[in-house]
Amino acid sequence: MEPEEYRRRGKEMVDYICQYLSNVRERRVTPDVQPGYMRAQLPDSAPMDPDSWDNIFGDIEKIIMPGVVHWQSPHMHAYFPALTSWPSLLGDMLADAINCLGFTWASSPACTELEMNVMDWLAKMLGLPDKFLHHHPDSVGGGVLQSTVSESTLVALLAARKNKILEMKVSEPDTDESSLNSRLVAYASDQAHSSVEKAGLISLVKMKFLPVDENFSLRGETLKKAIAEDRKQGLVPVFVCATLGTTGVCAFDNLSELGPICDAEGLWLHIDAAYAGTAFVCPEFRLFLDGIEYADSFTFNPSKWMMVHFDCTGFWVKDKYKLHQTFSVNPVYLRHPNSGAAVDFMHWQIPLSRRFRSLKLWFVIRSFGVKKLQAHVRHGTETAKFFESLVKSDPLFEIPAKRHLGLVVFRLKGPNWLTEKLLKELSSSGRLFLIPATIHDKFIIRFTVTSQFTTREDILQDWNIIQHTAAQIVSQNYGLHCISSGDAGRIPNMIVKPSSDATSSASQLYLDGGKYKTPSRKIVVQPKKLAASPSMCVISQQVKGQEDTLDDCFPEDVQNVTKHKLTSFLFSYLSVQGKKKTARSLSCNSVPMTGGLEQCNPKAAAADKESHANARILSRLPEEVMMLKKSAFKKLIKFYSVPSFPECSIQCGLQLPCCPLQAIV
């Protein structure tokens, strides 16, 4: 390819990139392919002769795009953001053209000096202490761009390990370093990223993951206790990784408690703020940095939320010489006249060569300015709040952990398999991308607002998909077949699945005066009971040889449904509160009911103390039993609980809104 063709093809590629990113929301987020899908589309060997650019360019859509996960899509909610932007793309275009390897100052002075200045800019933007600045009279630290936070954490741990071993050598000069290393121990919370564990594996430093409090935060007393116990065992504590914005629920370890302990005990305090670090450009989020003055190192990813595309990770240390003593190798061919006087970043990292990463970061900061970057973070946070409000408005769902920044975690109320099934159905659709996590043995779904182009309309579209899918799952597994005793052979099932209106309008919002509001819900009052005979509730799955008097009928003086508030789809033994009798819907297809076809006689049921005794047995069942799936559940008990709907006034027969979803329109 000659320069003139490159100029022409380059314009074509820029046009393609603009079209792709401008319309990425229209693409399926996750690909519908299987492992090895590309093998049949490529030749077995590389071409011996040049191929035409037209053929190469055409294969982008034919071969590459069918297997791409579209991380820039507004409907991409998995993991954490991995954003790019037009200035960032232009920065790397230039950096790739220059293609310098900035391992020393002499190898490309602009590469080193721009990085030093931009890292000082970034530290000031985040409110980091002066000790992390290159250009400050009281600082011996500074910042450097690494490839990932995983690498930064490993670098910090290796530096802490080397520094501690040198300290131990003073009192034990004859002890082998490997023996000293075997006594070292490091700490992190049990919510820390997997890269922390990997750093321990690589460095051969024992890594202990400590329990967190009810807010998923590592506290000072927990760390203090662990240090004391390990010192009694002859171990040498060396390193603490505190996380600001955990992967699971975006929780924050308590720096103000951990910092003084690390300082007093002589431990290296490293802070992993991979996702949340970008938020600190906004002063209102810096309360999580309380205690940052105790940190020995700090890292975060501009490549996540700051619209600087991968790879770009900021890493700061308060003492650069502790990095030098860990990573310095100085062969003759790498020396230069300014060695020692100038910064050589090869001594701050594991690899030798390094890319000109600071160009794209410089372009982004200058193009947006601090104010627009702050607005970007606030937009993502407010959009997440909006999604959180939608989840809270639907009683089928719960939010098991507090929302922080742009991450909301949610789940269907009830056993874990319901949420697992929901996630599986959502993933198979390809219309949005979500991933799971677990907290306190609860299976949850993470929803992260990622793209800077995400609008409320995008969130509403995704929520409607989630809500509709959840309603179908609940209907399939908790559906009721209600028939009249005289019409058992000819009346069809009243409930098969929720109507489209029911599933789509449960939490629809409308715009009123610039604000989104939730419309009030209407309850469909079922037709009054036919005078022919009492109705019977027939469950599709029956168990032979079992009889159970139905005590779920309401007194005859109870009239129409006046209020509907659906609670957890955990079984009813979990909560029966208040003096008022709790209504229990018979809408669980997945949980078999009794085989006897008993008439729903309200007076007889009220007088039948034995049936009430049977119902009370449920309250004594252990929670683990009630969370079992259907197959195991059938083997353990001979009668079955059903979802509880307090504050409902329901009559038997045709007046019973058998499925709560059917009643919401």
Side-chain angles (χ1 to χ4, degrees), residues 405-481:
L405 304 178
L407 173 62
V408 180
V409 298
F410 68 98
R411 67 189 302 274
L412 275 171
K413 295 177 180 177
N416 282 338
W417 63 265
L418 277 176
T419 305
E420 291 180 39
K421 188 169 184 179
L422 172 61
L423 180 60
K424 183 179 179 181
E425 293 294 325
L426 293 173
S427 299
S428 64
S429 74
R431 299 168 69 186
L432 67 165
F433 189 14
L434 301 161
I435 62 169
T438 56
I439 54 174
H440 298 326
D441 297 325
K442 283 187 175 183
F443 188 89
I444 63 172
I445 299 174
R446 299 170 72 262
F447 185 101
T448 310
V449 176
T450 57
S451 173
Q452 65 268 43
F453 303 115
T454 302
T455 65
R456 288 198 168 197
E457 288 70 28
D458 293 319
I459 296 297
L460 278 173
Q461 177 181 325
D462 293 340
W463 172 241
N464 285 335
I465 294 171
I466 294 169
Q467 195 176 45
H468 180 78
T469 305
Q472 287 183 321
I473 291 171
V474 171
S475 175
Q476 290 166 3
N477 292 279
Y478 294 89
L480 172 69
H481 307 300

Coordinates of all heavy atoms in Angstrom, one line a residue, residues 405-481:
L405 N -22.5 4.7 42.3 CA -22.1 5.2 41.0 C -23.0 4.6 39.9 O -24.2 4.7 40.0 CB -20.6 4.9 40.8 CG -19.6 5.5 41.8 CD1 -18.2 5.1 41.5 CD2 -19.8 7.0 41.9
G406 N -22.4 4.0 38.9 CA -23.2 3.5 37.8 C -23.6 2.0 37.8 O -24.0 1.5 36.8
L407 N -23.4 1.4 38.9 CA -23.7 -0.1 39.0 C -24.9 -0.3 39.9 O -24.9 0.1 41.1 CB -22.5 -0.8 39.6 CG -22.7 -2.3 39.9 CD1 -23.0 -3.1 38.6 CD2 -21.4 -2.9 40.5
V408 N -25.9 -1.1 39.4 CA -27.0 -1.5 40.1 C -27.0 -3.0 40.1 O -26.9 -3.6 39.0 CB -28.3 -1.0 39.5 CG1 -29.6 -1.4 40.3 CG2 -28.3 0.6 39.4
V409 N -27.2 -3.6 41.2 CA -27.4 -5.1 41.3 C -28.8 -5.4 41.7 O -29.4 -4.7 42.5 CB -26.4 -5.8 42.3 CG1 -25.0 -5.5 41.8 CG2 -26.6 -5.3 43.7
F410 N -29.4 -6.4 41.0 CA -30.8 -6.8 41.3 C -31.0 -8.3 41.1 O -30.2 -9.0 40.6 CB -31.7 -6.0 40.4 CG -31.6 -6.3 38.9 CD1 -32.5 -7.2 38.3 CD2 -30.6 -5.8 38.1 CE1 -32.5 -7.6 37.0 CE2 -30.5 -6.2 36.8 CZ -31.4 -7.1 36.2
R411 N -32.2 -8.7 41.5 CA -32.5 -10.1 41.4 C -34.0 -10.3 41.5 O -34.7 -9.4 42.0 CB -31.8 -11.0 42.4 CG -32.3 -10.8 43.9 CD -31.4 -11.5 44.9 NE -31.4 -12.9 44.7 CZ -32.3 -13.8 45.2 NH1 -33.3 -13.3 45.9 NH2 -32.2 -15.0 45.0
L412 N -34.5 -11.4 41.0 CA -35.9 -11.7 41.2 C -36.1 -12.2 42.7 O -35.2 -13.0 43.1 CB -36.4 -12.8 40.3 CG -36.9 -12.3 38.9 CD1 -37.1 -13.6 38.0 CD2 -38.2 -11.6 39.0
K413 N -37.1 -11.8 43.3 CA -37.3 -12.3 44.7 C -37.6 -13.8 44.6 O -38.3 -14.3 43.7 CB -38.5 -11.6 45.3 CG -38.3 -10.1 45.6 CD -39.5 -9.4 46.2 CE -39.2 -8.0 46.4 NZ -40.5 -7.3 46.9
G414 N -37.1 -14.5 45.6 CA -37.3 -16.0 45.6 C -36.0 -16.7 45.4 O -34.9 -16.2 45.6
P415 N -36.1 -18.0 45.1 CA -34.9 -18.9 45.0 C -34.0 -18.4 43.9 O -34.4 -17.8 42.9 CB -35.5 -20.3 44.7 CG -36.8 -20.0 44.2 CD -37.3 -18.8 44.8
N416 N -32.7 -18.8 44.0 CA -31.7 -18.3 43.1 C -32.0 -18.8 41.6 O -31.6 -18.1 40.7 CB -30.3 -18.9 43.5 CG -29.7 -18.1 44.6 OD1 -30.1 -16.9 44.8 ND2 -28.8 -18.7 45.3
W417 N -32.6 -19.9 41.5 CA -32.8 -20.4 40.1 C -33.6 -19.5 39.3 O -33.5 -19.5 38.0 CB -33.3 -21.9 40.1 CG -34.6 -22.1 40.7 CD1 -34.9 -22.4 42.0 CD2 -35.9 -22.0 40.0 NE1 -36.3 -22.5 42.2 CE2 -36.9 -22.2 41.0 CE3 -36.3 -21.6 38.7 CZ2 -38.3 -22.2 40.7 CZ3 -37.6 -21.6 38.4 CH2 -38.6 -21.9 39.4
L418 N -34.5 -18.8 39.9 CA -35.4 -17.8 39.1 C -34.5 -16.8 38.5 O -34.6 -16.5 37.3 CB -36.4 -17.2 40.1 CG -37.7 -17.9 40.4 CD1 -38.5 -17.1 41.4 CD2 -38.5 -18.1 39.1
T419 N -33.6 -16.2 39.3 CA -32.7 -15.2 38.7 C -31.7 -15.8 37.7 O -31.4 -15.1 36.7 CB -31.9 -14.5 39.8 OG1 -32.9 -14.0 40.8 CG2 -31.1 -13.3 39.3
E420 N -31.2 -17.0 38.0 CA -30.4 -17.6 37.0 C -31.1 -17.8 35.7 O -30.5 -17.6 34.6 CB -29.9 -19.0 37.6 CG -28.9 -18.9 38.7 CD -28.5 -20.3 39.2 OE1 -28.3 -21.2 38.4 OE2 -28.4 -20.4 40.4
K421 N -32.3 -18.3 35.7 CA -33.1 -18.5 34.5 C -33.3 -17.1 33.8 O -33.3 -17.1 32.6 CB -34.4 -19.2 34.8 CG -35.2 -19.6 33.6 CD -36.4 -20.5 33.9 CE -37.1 -21.0 32.7 NZ -38.2 -21.9 33.0
L422 N -33.6 -16.1 34.5 CA -33.8 -14.8 33.9 C -32.5 -14.4 33.2 O -32.6 -13.9 32.0 CB -34.1 -13.8 35.0 CG -34.2 -12.3 34.6 CD1 -35.3 -12.1 33.5 CD2 -34.4 -11.4 35.8
L423 N -31.4 -14.5 33.8 CA -30.1 -14.1 33.2 C -29.9 -14.9 31.9 O -29.4 -14.4 30.9 CB -29.0 -14.2 34.2 CG -27.6 -13.8 33.6 CD1 -27.6 -12.4 33.1 CD2 -26.5 -14.1 34.6
K424 N -30.2 -16.2 32.0 CA -30.0 -17.1 30.9 C -30.8 -16.7 29.7 O -30.4 -16.6 28.5 CB -30.3 -18.5 31.2 CG -30.0 -19.5 30.1 CD -30.3 -21.0 30.6 CE -30.1 -22.0 29.4 NZ -30.4 -23.3 29.9
E425 N -32.1 -16.3 30.0 CA -33.0 -15.9 28.9 C -32.5 -14.6 28.3 O -32.6 -14.4 27.1 CB -34.4 -15.8 29.4 CG -35.0 -17.1 29.8 CD -35.3 -18.0 28.6 OE1 -35.6 -17.5 27.5 OE2 -35.1 -19.3 28.8
L426 N -32.1 -13.6 29.2 CA -31.7 -12.3 28.7 C -30.4 -12.5 27.8 O -30.3 -11.8 26.8 CB -31.4 -11.4 29.8 CG -32.6 -11.0 30.7 CD1 -32.2 -10.2 31.9 CD2 -33.6 -10.1 29.8
S427 N -29.5 -13.3 28.3 CA -28.2 -13.5 27.5 C -28.5 -14.1 26.2 O -27.8 -13.8 25.2 CB -27.3 -14.4 28.4 OG -27.0 -13.7 29.6
S428 N -29.4 -15.1 26.1 CA -29.6 -15.8 24.8 C -30.3 -14.9 23.8 O -30.2 -15.1 22.6 CB -30.5 -17.0 25.1 OG -31.8 -16.6 25.5
S429 N -31.0 -13.8 24.3 CA -31.6 -12.9 23.3 C -30.6 -12.1 22.6 O -30.9 -11.6 21.4 CB -32.6 -12.0 24.1 OG -31.9 -11.0 24.8
G430 N -29.5 -11.8 23.2 CA -28.5 -10.9 22.6 C -28.8 -9.4 22.5 O -28.0 -8.6 22.0
R431 N -29.9 -9.1 23.1 CA -30.4 -7.7 22.9 C -29.7 -6.8 24.0 O -29.7 -5.6 23.9 CB -31.9 -7.6 23.0 CG -32.6 -8.4 21.9 CD -34.1 -8.5 22.2 NE -34.8 -7.3 22.1 CZ -36.1 -7.1 22.4 NH1 -36.8 -8.2 22.8 NH2 -36.6 -5.9 22.3
L432 N -29.3 -7.4 25.1 CA -28.5 -6.7 26.1 C -27.5 -7.7 26.7 O -27.8 -8.9 26.6 CB -29.4 -6.0 27.1 CG -30.2 -6.8 28.1 CD1 -30.7 -5.9 29.2 CD2 -31.4 -7.4 27.4
F433 N -26.5 -7.2 27.4 CA -25.5 -8.1 27.9 C -25.4 -7.8 29.4 O -25.1 -6.6 29.8 CB -24.2 -7.9 27.2 CG -23.1 -8.9 27.6 CD1 -23.4 -10.1 28.2 CD2 -21.8 -8.6 27.2 CE1 -22.4 -11.0 28.5 CE2 -20.8 -9.6 27.5 CZ -21.1 -10.7 28.1
L434 N -25.6 -8.8 30.3 CA -25.5 -8.7 31.7 C -24.7 -9.9 32.2 O -24.6 -10.9 31.6 CB -26.9 -8.7 32.4 CG -27.8 -7.6 31.9 CD1 -29.3 -8.0 32.3 CD2 -27.5 -6.3 32.6
I435 N -24.0 -9.7 33.4 CA -23.3 -10.8 34.0 C -23.7 -10.9 35.4 O -24.3 -10.0 36.0 CB -21.8 -10.6 33.9 CG1 -21.3 -9.4 34.6 CG2 -21.3 -10.6 32.4 CD1 -19.8 -9.3 34.8
P436 N -23.5 -12.1 36.0 CA -23.9 -12.4 37.4 C -22.8 -12.1 38.4 O -21.7 -11.9 38.1 CB -24.3 -13.8 37.4 CG -23.3 -14.4 36.5 CD -23.0 -13.4 35.4
A437 N -23.2 -12.1 39.7 CA -22.3 -12.2 40.8 C -23.1 -12.9 41.9 O -24.3 -13.2 41.8 CB -21.9 -10.8 41.2
T438 N -22.4 -13.1 43.0 CA -23.1 -13.7 44.2 C -22.7 -12.9 45.4 O -21.6 -12.5 45.6 CB -22.8 -15.2 44.5 OG1 -21.3 -15.3 44.6 CG2 -23.2 -16.0 43.3
I439 N -23.7 -12.6 46.3 CA -23.5 -12.0 47.6 C -24.3 -12.7 48.6 O -25.5 -12.9 48.4 CB -23.8 -10.5 47.5 CG1 -25.2 -10.2 47.0 CG2 -22.7 -9.7 46.7 CD1 -25.6 -8.7 47.1
H440 N -23.7 -13.1 49.7 CA -24.4 -13.8 50.8 C -25.2 -14.9 50.2 O -26.4 -15.2 50.6 CB -25.3 -12.8 51.5 CG -24.6 -11.7 52.2 ND1 -23.4 -11.8 52.8 CD2 -25.0 -10.4 52.4 CE1 -23.0 -10.7 53.3 NE2 -24.0 -9.8 53.1
D441 N -24.6 -15.7 49.3 CA -25.2 -16.9 48.7 C -26.4 -16.5 47.8 O -27.2 -17.4 47.4 CB -25.7 -17.9 49.8 CG -24.5 -18.4 50.5 OD1 -23.4 -18.6 49.9 OD2 -24.6 -18.7 51.7
K442 N -26.6 -15.3 47.5 CA -27.7 -14.9 46.6 C -27.1 -14.6 45.2 O -26.1 -14.0 45.1 CB -28.4 -13.6 47.1 CG -29.3 -13.7 48.3 CD -30.1 -12.4 48.5 CE -31.1 -12.6 49.6 NZ -31.9 -11.4 49.9
F443 N -27.8 -15.2 44.3 CA -27.4 -15.0 42.9 C -28.0 -13.7 42.4 O -29.2 -13.4 42.5 CB -27.9 -16.1 42.0 CG -27.5 -16.2 40.6 CD1 -26.3 -16.8 40.2 CD2 -28.2 -15.5 39.6 CE1 -25.9 -16.8 38.9 CE2 -27.8 -15.5 38.3 CZ -26.6 -16.2 37.9
I444 N -27.1 -12.8 41.9 CA -27.6 -11.4 41.5 C -27.2 -11.2 40.1 O -26.3 -11.8 39.5 CB -27.0 -10.3 42.5 CG1 -25.5 -10.3 42.4 CG2 -27.5 -10.6 43.9 CD1 -24.9 -9.1 43.1
I445 N -27.8 -10.2 39.5 CA -27.4 -9.7 38.2 C -26.9 -8.3 38.3 O -27.5 -7.4 39.0 CB -28.6 -9.7 37.2 CG1 -29.2 -11.1 37.1 CG2 -28.3 -9.1 35.9 CD1 -30.4 -11.2 36.3
R446 N -25.7 -8.0 37.7 CA -25.1 -6.7 37.7 C -25.6 -5.9 36.4 O -25.6 -6.4 35.3 CB -23.6 -6.8 37.6 CG -23.0 -7.5 38.8 CD -21.5 -7.8 38.6 NE -20.7 -6.6 38.6 CZ -20.3 -5.9 37.6 NH1 -20.7 -6.2 36.3 NH2 -19.6 -4.8 37.7
F447 N -25.9 -4.7 36.7 CA -26.4 -3.8 35.6 C -25.5 -2.5 35.7 O -25.7 -1.7 36.6 CB -27.9 -3.5 35.7 CG -28.4 -2.7 34.5 CD1 -29.2 -3.3 33.5 CD2 -28.2 -1.3 34.4 CE1 -29.7 -2.6 32.5 CE2 -28.7 -0.6 33.4 CZ -29.5 -1.2 32.4
T448 N -24.6 -2.4 34.7 CA -23.7 -1.2 34.8 C -24.1 -0.3 33.6 O -24.2 -0.8 32.5 CB -22.2 -1.6 34.6 OG1 -21.9 -2.6 35.6 CG2 -21.3 -0.4 34.9
V449 N -24.2 1.0 33.9 CA -24.4 1.9 32.8 C -23.0 2.2 32.2 O -22.1 2.7 32.9 CB -25.0 3.2 33.3 CG1 -25.1 4.3 32.2 CG2 -26.4 3.0 33.9
T450 N -22.8 1.8 31.0 CA -21.4 1.9 30.4 C -21.2 3.0 29.4 O -20.4 3.9 29.6 CB -21.1 0.6 29.7 OG1 -22.1 0.3 28.7 CG2 -21.1 -0.6 30.7
S451 N -22.1 3.1 28.4 CA -21.8 4.0 27.3 C -22.2 5.4 27.7 O -23.1 5.7 28.4 CB -22.6 3.6 26.1 OG -22.5 4.5 25.1
Q452 N -21.4 6.4 27.2 CA -21.7 7.8 27.3 C -22.9 8.2 26.5 O -23.4 9.3 26.7 CB -20.4 8.6 26.9 CG -20.0 8.6 25.5 CD -19.0 7.5 25.2 OE1 -19.1 6.4 25.7 NE2 -18.0 7.9 24.5
F453 N -23.3 7.3 25.6 CA -24.4 7.6 24.7 C -25.7 7.0 25.2 O -26.8 7.2 24.6 CB -24.2 7.1 23.3 CG -22.9 7.7 22.7 CD1 -21.8 6.8 22.4 CD2 -22.7 9.0 22.4 CE1 -20.7 7.3 21.8 CE2 -21.6 9.5 21.9 CZ -20.5 8.7 21.6
T454 N -25.7 6.4 26.4 CA -26.9 5.8 26.9 C -27.9 6.8 27.3 O -27.6 7.8 28.0 CB -26.6 4.9 28.2 OG1 -25.6 3.9 27.8 CG2 -27.8 4.3 28.7
T455 N -29.1 6.7 26.9 CA -30.2 7.6 27.2 C -31.3 6.9 28.1 O -31.2 5.7 28.3 CB -30.9 8.1 25.9 OG1 -31.5 7.0 25.3 CG2 -29.9 8.7 24.9
R456 N -32.2 7.7 28.6 CA -33.3 7.1 29.4 C -34.1 6.2 28.5 O -34.7 5.2 29.0 CB -34.1 8.2 30.0 CG -33.4 8.9 31.1 CD -34.4 9.6 32.0 NE -33.8 10.1 33.2 CZ -34.4 10.5 34.3 NH1 -35.7 10.4 34.3 NH2 -33.8 10.9 35.4
E457 N -34.2 6.5 27.2 CA -35.0 5.6 26.3 C -34.3 4.3 26.2 O -35.0 3.2 26.1 CB -35.1 6.3 25.0 CG -36.1 7.5 25.0 CD -35.6 8.7 25.7 OE1 -34.3 8.9 25.8 OE2 -36.4 9.5 26.2
D458 N -33.0 4.3 26.1 CA -32.2 3.0 26.1 C -32.5 2.2 27.4 O -32.7 1.0 27.3 CB -30.7 3.3 25.9 CG -30.4 3.9 24.6 OD1 -30.9 3.4 23.6 OD2 -29.5 4.8 24.6
I459 N -32.5 2.9 28.5 CA -32.7 2.2 29.8 C -34.1 1.6 29.8 O -34.3 0.5 30.3 CB -32.4 3.1 31.0 CG1 -30.9 3.6 31.0 CG2 -32.8 2.5 32.3 CD1 -30.0 2.4 31.2
L460 N -35.1 2.4 29.4 CA -36.5 1.9 29.4 C -36.6 0.7 28.5 O -37.3 -0.2 28.8 CB -37.4 3.0 28.9 CG -37.8 4.0 30.0 CD1 -38.6 5.2 29.4 CD2 -38.7 3.4 31.1
Q461 N -36.0 0.8 27.3 CA -36.0 -0.4 26.4 C -35.4 -1.6 27.1 O -36.0 -2.7 27.0 CB -35.3 -0.1 25.1 CG -35.2 -1.2 24.1 CD -34.4 -0.9 22.9 OE1 -34.4 0.3 22.4 NE2 -33.7 -1.9 22.3
D462 N -34.3 -1.5 27.7 CA -33.7 -2.6 28.4 C -34.5 -3.1 29.5 O -34.6 -4.3 29.8 CB -32.3 -2.3 28.9 CG -31.3 -2.0 27.7 OD1 -31.6 -2.5 26.6 OD2 -30.3 -1.3 27.9
W463 N -35.1 -2.2 30.3 CA -35.9 -2.6 31.4 C -37.2 -3.3 31.0 O -37.6 -4.3 31.6 CB -36.3 -1.4 32.3 CG -37.3 -1.6 33.3 CD1 -38.5 -1.1 33.5 CD2 -37.1 -2.6 34.4 NE1 -39.2 -1.6 34.6 CE2 -38.3 -2.5 35.2 CE3 -36.1 -3.4 34.8 CZ2 -38.5 -3.3 36.3 CZ3 -36.3 -4.2 36.0 CH2 -37.5 -4.1 36.7
N464 N -37.7 -2.9 29.9 CA -38.9 -3.6 29.4 C -38.6 -5.0 29.0 O -39.4 -5.9 29.2 CB -39.5 -2.8 28.2 CG -40.2 -1.6 28.6 OD1 -40.7 -1.4 29.7 ND2 -40.3 -0.6 27.7
I465 N -37.4 -5.2 28.4 CA -37.0 -6.6 28.1 C -36.8 -7.4 29.3 O -37.3 -8.5 29.4 CB -35.6 -6.5 27.3 CG1 -35.9 -5.8 25.9 CG2 -35.1 -7.9 27.1 CD1 -34.6 -5.6 25.2
I466 N -36.1 -6.8 30.3 CA -35.9 -7.5 31.6 C -37.3 -7.9 32.2 O -37.5 -9.0 32.7 CB -35.1 -6.7 32.5 CG1 -33.6 -6.5 32.0 CG2 -35.0 -7.3 33.9 CD1 -32.8 -5.5 32.7
Q467 N -38.1 -6.9 32.3 CA -39.4 -7.0 33.0 C -40.3 -8.0 32.3 O -40.9 -8.9 32.9 CB -40.1 -5.7 33.1 CG -41.2 -5.6 34.0 CD -41.8 -4.2 34.1 OE1 -42.0 -3.5 33.1 NE2 -42.0 -3.7 35.3
H468 N -40.4 -8.0 31.0 CA -41.2 -8.9 30.2 C -40.7 -10.3 30.4 O -41.5 -11.3 30.5 CB -41.2 -8.5 28.7 CG -42.0 -9.4 27.9 ND1 -43.4 -9.3 27.8 CD2 -41.7 -10.4 27.0 CE1 -43.9 -10.2 27.0 NE2 -42.9 -10.9 26.5
T469 N -39.3 -10.5 30.3 CA -38.7 -11.8 30.4 C -39.0 -12.4 31.8 O -39.3 -13.6 32.0 CB -37.2 -11.8 30.1 OG1 -37.0 -11.2 28.9 CG2 -36.6 -13.2 30.2
A470 N -38.9 -11.5 32.8 CA -39.1 -12.0 34.2 C -40.6 -12.4 34.4 O -40.9 -13.4 35.0 CB -38.8 -10.9 35.2
A471 N -41.5 -11.6 33.8 CA -42.9 -11.9 33.9 C -43.2 -13.3 33.3 O -44.0 -14.1 33.8 CB -43.8 -10.8 33.3
Q472 N -42.6 -13.6 32.1 CA -42.8 -14.8 31.5 C -42.3 -16.0 32.4 O -43.0 -17.0 32.5 CB -42.1 -14.9 30.1 CG -42.8 -14.0 29.1 CD -42.1 -14.1 27.7 OE1 -40.9 -14.2 27.7 NE2 -42.9 -14.1 26.7
I473 N -41.1 -15.8 33.0 CA -40.6 -16.8 33.8 C -41.5 -17.1 35.0 O -41.7 -18.2 35.4 CB -39.1 -16.5 34.2 CG1 -38.2 -16.5 33.0 CG2 -38.6 -17.4 35.3 CD1 -36.8 -15.9 33.3
V474 N -41.9 -16.0 35.6 CA -42.8 -16.2 36.8 C -44.1 -16.8 36.4 O -44.6 -17.7 37.1 CB -43.0 -14.8 37.5 CG1 -44.1 -14.9 38.6 CG2 -41.7 -14.3 38.1
S475 N -44.6 -16.4 35.3 CA -45.9 -17.0 34.9 C -45.7 -18.5 34.6 O -46.6 -19.3 34.9 CB -46.4 -16.3 33.6 OG -47.5 -16.9 33.1
Q476 N -44.6 -18.9 33.9 CA -44.4 -20.3 33.6 C -44.3 -21.1 34.8 O -44.7 -22.3 34.8 CB -43.2 -20.4 32.7 CG -43.4 -19.8 31.3 CD -42.1 -19.6 30.5 OE1 -41.0 -20.0 31.1 NE2 -42.1 -19.1 29.4
N477 N -43.7 -20.6 35.8 CA -43.4 -21.4 37.0 C -44.3 -21.2 38.2 O -44.3 -22.0 39.1 CB -41.9 -21.1 37.5 CG -40.9 -21.5 36.5 OD1 -40.5 -22.7 36.5 ND2 -40.4 -20.6 35.7
Y478 N -45.2 -20.2 38.1 CA -46.2 -20.0 39.1 C -47.5 -19.7 38.5 O -48.3 -18.9 39.0 CB -45.8 -18.8 40.0 CG -44.5 -18.9 40.8 CD1 -43.3 -18.6 40.2 CD2 -44.6 -19.5 42.0 CE1 -42.1 -18.8 40.9 CE2 -43.4 -19.7 42.8 CZ -42.2 -19.3 42.2 OH -41.0 -19.5 42.9
G479 N -47.9 -20.4 37.4 CA -49.2 -20.2 36.8 C -50.3 -21.0 37.4 O -50.0 -22.1 38.0
L480 N -51.5 -20.5 37.4 CA -52.7 -21.2 38.0 C -53.7 -21.6 36.9 O -54.0 -20.9 36.0 CB -53.3 -20.2 39.0 CG -54.6 -20.7 39.6 CD1 -54.4 -21.9 40.5 CD2 -55.3 -19.5 40.3
H481 N -54.3 -22.7 37.1 CA -55.4 -23.1 36.3 C -56.7 -23.1 37.2 O -56.8 -24.0 38.1 CB -55.2 -24.5 35.7 CG -53.9 -24.6 35.0 ND1 -53.6 -23.9 33.9 CD2 -52.8 -25.4 35.2 CE1 -52.4 -24.2 33.5 NE2 -51.9 -25.1 34.2

